[in-house]
Structures are given as C-alpha cells and as structure tokens.
Amino acid sequence: MKYIYIKTWGCQMNEYDSSMIANLLIQEKKYLLTTSVEQADILILNTCSIREKAQEKLFHQLGRWKKIKNNNPNIIIAVGGCVANQEGKKIFKRAHYVDIIFGTQTLHKLPKMISEIEKNKKHSIDISFPKLEKFKYFLEPKKIGYTANVSIMEGCNKYCSFCIVPYTRGHELSRPCDDILFEISILAKQGVREINLLGQNVNAYKGLNSNGHICRFSQLIRLVATIDGIDRIRFITSHPIEFTDDIIELYKDIPKLVSFLHLPVQSGSNKILKLMRRSYTVEEYKLIIEKLMVVRPNIQISSDFIVGFPGESEKDFQKTMSFIKNINFDMSFSFIYSSRPGTPASKIKDHIDIKEKKKRLFILQNRINIQTMLWSRKMFGSIQSILVEGISNKNIMELCGRTENNRIVSFLGSPKMIGKFVNLKITKIHTHSLKGELI
C-alpha cells in the first residue's frame, strides 16, 4: 500500500480540488490517504496565491519536506494549485527535489504523472488550461460530513486590477448543469443536507443543460432546490456587477436559500473601486442590498475589504468605514493590500506606510467585530434551525451545528441528532459561538 498526504492552502475551491485529487488517487491508484507526513509515499501541496509572498510560503514548506526526502529519496513531492500556475518551472529551479508540478486545471492528470515519475524518475510539469477537462474525470463523491462543497464553474473574466485569479485559474468556464445536479443528487443520497456552490464568480454561471440551452445561475439554484434531501443552499463567491434581479428574486421564492450572503465590495470609496476595476459604484452595491432586504428582511451580509490599496487616502478609508456602518455588515474577510505579480495594480505606486495600513486594518476589523457581536446579541432568546454536524470540539458531552447565518451553536443532545435539523433556543452569546437549548 502507498500513502498520500495532501496539504491544502487557500479557499474552498482549493479544498474541493484537494478532495478531487484524493478521490482520483484512491480510486485509480488504490492509494490510502494519511494525515502523517512521515507515513506518506507521496506529498502533495495544493497552493494559493492570493496573499502576499505566496511563493516564499511555498518554498519554506518545500524546505521542510526536503529533509524528509533526504531520508527517503523515493518519496514523490508534487506541487499544484495557483502558485504552481504562477511560478511554473521556476519551482524546479529553486527546489530541484520537487518531482511534479500540476495546475488548477490539470489535477486529473496527476495519476498518470505519478506513474511516469515512478517509471522514469524525471521531472513532470503540466500547468495548461484544458477547458473543464478535470470534471470529465468525475468520480462518485464521498461524503465527509452533512454539508458539501460543489464546484459549478472555474476562472474569472473580471480582471480586477489587484487580483491574480484570472491568470492562475483561467477564464470563466461553467460546468454542464446536469453534471452538477447529478453530483448533488449523489451527495444527497449519502446524507448530505446542505450544499455550498463554489466558483470564483458563481453568479456568472452559464452552463449548458441536456437540451443544449444555457442555464443561468438563478435557474441552477431553482433546480438544486428541487433535489430531495437538500434542505439548505449556500454559494460563494459573487460579484456585485452580476448580482442581477433574477438572483434577488430567489430570496423571495426559495426558502432553502440561506438568509446569509457573502458579497465582496472591497472598498466604500468610488475612487478606489475605479482603481480596482470593480465596475460598480458604492451606490449600485447599496441598491442590491436594499432590494434583497425587501424580499428577505432578515438577511445578513458579509463582505471582503482591502485596506491600503495604492491611492487610498484617509478620506477614502473613512468612506469605507461609513459604508460598513451604513450597510451594517455582519462579518468580513479583510486584508492589507498586497501586490500580486503581473497584475495592473502592481504597477501603481504605493505611498501608504505599512504602519498606517495596519492601523486602518485594525480599525476596520474592530468595527466589524463590534457589528458581529451586535448581530449575535439580536439572536439571544430566538429560535434557530440548526444543522447538527457532530460532537463539539470544546466539550465532548455536547453537540454542535451551524445556523443559517454561519454561527456555531453547541448544545446538549443525543448523537442520533447528528445530520438532522433541530430547533434551538439561543441561551448564551460568546464572541465566536453561541449556546442553545433544544426546543
């Protein structure tokens, strides 16, 4: 028996890709998955290039694995994901002990690449962009919980000035509608109750159905909602420019669609949004939220924010802070701007001191944390529907589950409830979690 170890960095798309890799190697090569680096015969690193110095993070990790390979030269080291697409053969030059480099769109070739390495002991690289070819190697998914991620599309055409995704994931390509529904149906039969649809820009989805007609994102959601066993639907990530009225209507018609939306805005300043090439204004974003509030008054919004983008003045930052308060965002992913190689923003002169950037980030995150707690306090005494996911990590005598608005709730209950929905009364509020009692 041979063992594979997979280390994954980055977004849920990468997590989904890693699950595909594991599935492929287990079923095609009869390998076993291990959580021990020392036990592994094959070490796979699935990388992310969103954050600053992603390349250095990669080589630091490879340096640790080099010591393992020195002790066992037969170990195969493979690097995939966005940094693999970004750096390509440069990885071999800095880390000659790496055996395989595969891209975001060529992970399905990994079994063959491994066989070639075992036979010829030569480096192997494939970071090409075959159109959705990896999904043609679809194998029956294996349930690992009662919620599941399903990728519906790849790539992005927006080319925001700060973002490297279009260069590492390629252009927008949508999976056929029937393939997605088939995958979700299998998961539902296995006991999955909640589906999270994934894509760099899910609301740009335009997949073909069996009749050869285009299925829009709103139509796909309606079809997913008809699948028996699926009781909750989420999706991530959306772009405001394509958050159209037919998607907003879903929140009126589809109760299975959660009352929680992650919709990245990045900045509350129109000047900065223009520099970012986001193609919408603060006012247009606010109009989307207002329309959503009409059809789903209890919806909560989370977002992404980039602080210290080149050209961001104190006035621009204060506009962002006012916007955060005005929309009353529940949560956020917020970061200091980091230049990504090859992006248009990397050519803009950055005059903002790092201390000032850190200060702005602290202020922004503190404001969001306050709003998160205020939203949680509104839940005190309320009745919430919880999908019970398992035993609590903090107390083995308790179960835990997740609310529609992404709060973890722990409570006393029977293990027979795992995988089912229960109603809880929220009795305690903590910074990052809640306590509840069974109704």
Side-chain angles (χ1 to χ4, degrees):
M1 286 293 179
K2 288 194 175 182
Y3 291 88
I4 50 172
Y5 173 87
I6 303 175
K7 189 175 187 67
T8 308
W9 291 335
C11 65
Q12 288 154 309
M13 290 287 288
N14 272 19
E15 294 285 351
Y16 181 85
D17 284 350
S18 289
S19 69
M20 286 185 68
I21 291 168
N23 211 9
L24 274 167
L25 294 179
I26 290 168
Q27 295 192 45
E28 290 196 10
K29 301 283 285 183
K30 308 304 178 186
Y31 293 161
L32 296 177
L33 200 59
T34 180
T35 56
S36 169
V37 176
E38 289 74 20
Q39 186 185 29
D41 300 282
I42 302 169
L43 301 174
I44 300 172
L45 183 57
N46 192 6
T47 62
C48 173
S49 60
I50 291 295
R51 301 300 301 277
E52 188 178 15
K53 298 180 179 177
Q55 307 95 302
E56 296 310 310
K57 183 181 178 182
L58 163 66
F59 290 112
H60 287 156
Q61 179 61 56
L62 290 176
R64 290 188 283 271
W65 284 0
K66 179 184 179 182
K67 296 174 184 177
I68 297 171
K69 185 151 185 170
N70 286 340
N71 294 327
N72 181 4
N74 292 322
I75 284 178
I76 293 173
I77 297 179
V79 177
C82 294
V83 180
N85 275 97
Q86 179 185 315
E87 296 297 303
K89 290 183 179 179
K90 294 178 185 176
I91 296 172
F92 286 146
K93 291 180 180 179
R94 285 189 59 177
H96 56 86
Y97 47 88
V98 170
D99 299 288
I100 295 170
I101 299 173
F102 63 98
T104 55
Q105 303 299 321
T106 54
L107 58 88
H108 60 286
K109 298 184 180 183
L110 199 49
K112 184 178 179 182
M113 296 171 84
I114 290 172
S115 295
E116 290 174 351
I117 291 294
E118 291 173 331
K119 184 178 179 180
N120 302 318
K121 302 293 182 182
K122 293 181 179 179
H123 291 317
S124 180
I125 180 171
D126 191 335
I127 53 173
S128 59
F129 287 91
K131 293 184 178 180
L132 293 180
E133 191 176 290
K134 70 180 184 183
F135 292 109
K136 294 177 183 177
Y137 288 77
F138 173 81
L139 296 168
E140 184 172 309
K142 301 297 182 184
K143 187 194 81 169
I144 56 173
Y146 296 95
T147 68
N149 295 324
V150 174
S151 179
I152 67 170
M153 63 182 300
E154 286 277 344
C156 185
N157 293 347
K158 298 298 172 286
Y159 287 91
C160 300
S161 65
F162 57 83
C163 187
I164 200 167
V165 166
Y167 308 96
T168 59
R169 286 274 179 180
H171 295 303
E172 288 173 356
L173 292 168
S174 299
R175 289 180 68 188
C177 171
D178 291 352
D179 289 1
I180 295 166
L181 298 176
F182 177 65
E183 182 175 350
I184 295 172
S185 296
I186 292 174
L187 290 166
K189 288 177 182 177
Q190 293 178 358
V192 168
R193 306 294 304 278
E194 177 180 294
I195 289 294
N196 188 18
L197 304 177
L198 301 180
Q200 272 73 40
N201 179 20
V202 289
N203 46 350
Y205 175 82
K206 294 179 180 66
L208 295 179
N209 60 25
S210 56
N211 296 322
H213 299 139
I214 289 177
C215 175
R216 295 174 61 84
F217 181 61
S218 58
Q219 294 169 313
L220 178 65
I221 292 283
R222 291 180 187 276
L223 291 170
V224 172
T226 66
I227 297 174
D228 289 339
I230 300 301
D231 296 304
R232 263 194 197 164
I233 303 170
R234 301 180 188 272
F235 57 83
I236 191 168
T237 296
S238 297
H239 194 294
I241 198 66
E242 288 180 303
F243 209 92
T244 47
D245 287 346
D246 60 317
I247 299 174
I248 292 171
E249 284 293 305
L250 295 172
Y251 288 88
K252 182 178 73 175
D253 301 336
I254 310 294
K256 291 183 179 182
L257 192 57
V258 297
S259 295
F260 187 85
L261 170 66
H262 183 75
L263 187 61
V265 64
Q266 306 298 358
S267 174
S269 163
N270 284 335
K271 182 190 90 176
I272 299 303
L273 288 177
K274 188 173 182 179
L275 288 172
M276 289 179 170
R277 298 185 183 177
R278 291 292 286 175
S279 303
Y280 57 83
T281 64
V282 168
E283 292 76 20
E284 288 167 336
Y285 183 98
K286 186 178 179 182
L287 182 60
I288 293 169
I289 305 304
E290 289 172 349
K291 288 180 178 180
L292 282 167
M293 292 291 184
V294 171
V295 296
R296 190 74 71 91
N298 62 332
I299 195 168
Q300 290 168 237
I301 311 296
S302 70
S303 193
D304 292 348
F305 294 95
I306 295 175
V307 173
F309 189 83
E312 182 188 71
S313 65
E314 178 63 26
K315 184 178 179 181
D316 294 318
F317 175 67
Q318 289 305 324
K319 285 182 178 180
T320 297
M321 292 304 300
S322 297
F323 190 64
I324 288 171
K325 187 175 181 181
N326 182 262
I327 297 294
N328 195 16
F329 289 103
D330 179 18
M331 301 176 184
S332 80
F333 295 102
S334 49
F335 310 97
I336 290 173
Y337 166 76
S338 59
S339 176
R340 308 312 298 128
T343 60
S346 65
K347 300 173 184 177
I348 305 175
K349 284 191 176 182
D350 186 0
H351 299 293
I352 307 171
D353 183 77
I354 186 62
K355 290 183 179 179
E356 178 61 26
K357 291 180 181 180
K358 289 181 178 179
K359 174 187 167 186
R360 291 178 187 178
L361 182 65
F362 175 81
I363 292 170
L364 187 150
Q365 291 181 338
N366 186 57
R367 178 68 231 176
I368 292 287
N369 288 339
I370 291 170
Q371 291 181 188
T372 300
M373 180 55 76
L374 290 173
W375 274 110
S376 292
R377 285 176 181 170
K378 288 180 182 179
M379 298 174 70
F380 181 79
S382 67
I383 308 300
Q384 297 289 326
S385 176
I386 310 296
L387 175 56
V388 185
E389 297 179 4
I391 306 296
S392 172
N393 292 330
K394 296 181 179 179
N395 185 346
I396 60 171
M397 301 303 293
E398 292 182 329
L399 300 177
C400 69
R402 196 177 297 270
T403 63
E404 279 199 31
N405 61 348
N406 261 345
R407 264 50 170 196
I408 296 293
V409 186
S410 56
F411 65 99
L412 292 172
S414 166
K416 293 180 181 179
M417 296 174 179
I418 295 174
K420 299 178 181 178
F421 285 89
V422 299
N423 289 326
L424 300 180
K425 182 177 181 180
I426 305 302
T427 57
K428 287 185 180 179
I429 307 294
H430 300 296
T431 305
H432 300 293
S433 62
L434 307 172
K435 286 274 189 179
E437 291 179 356
L438 279 166
I439 298 299

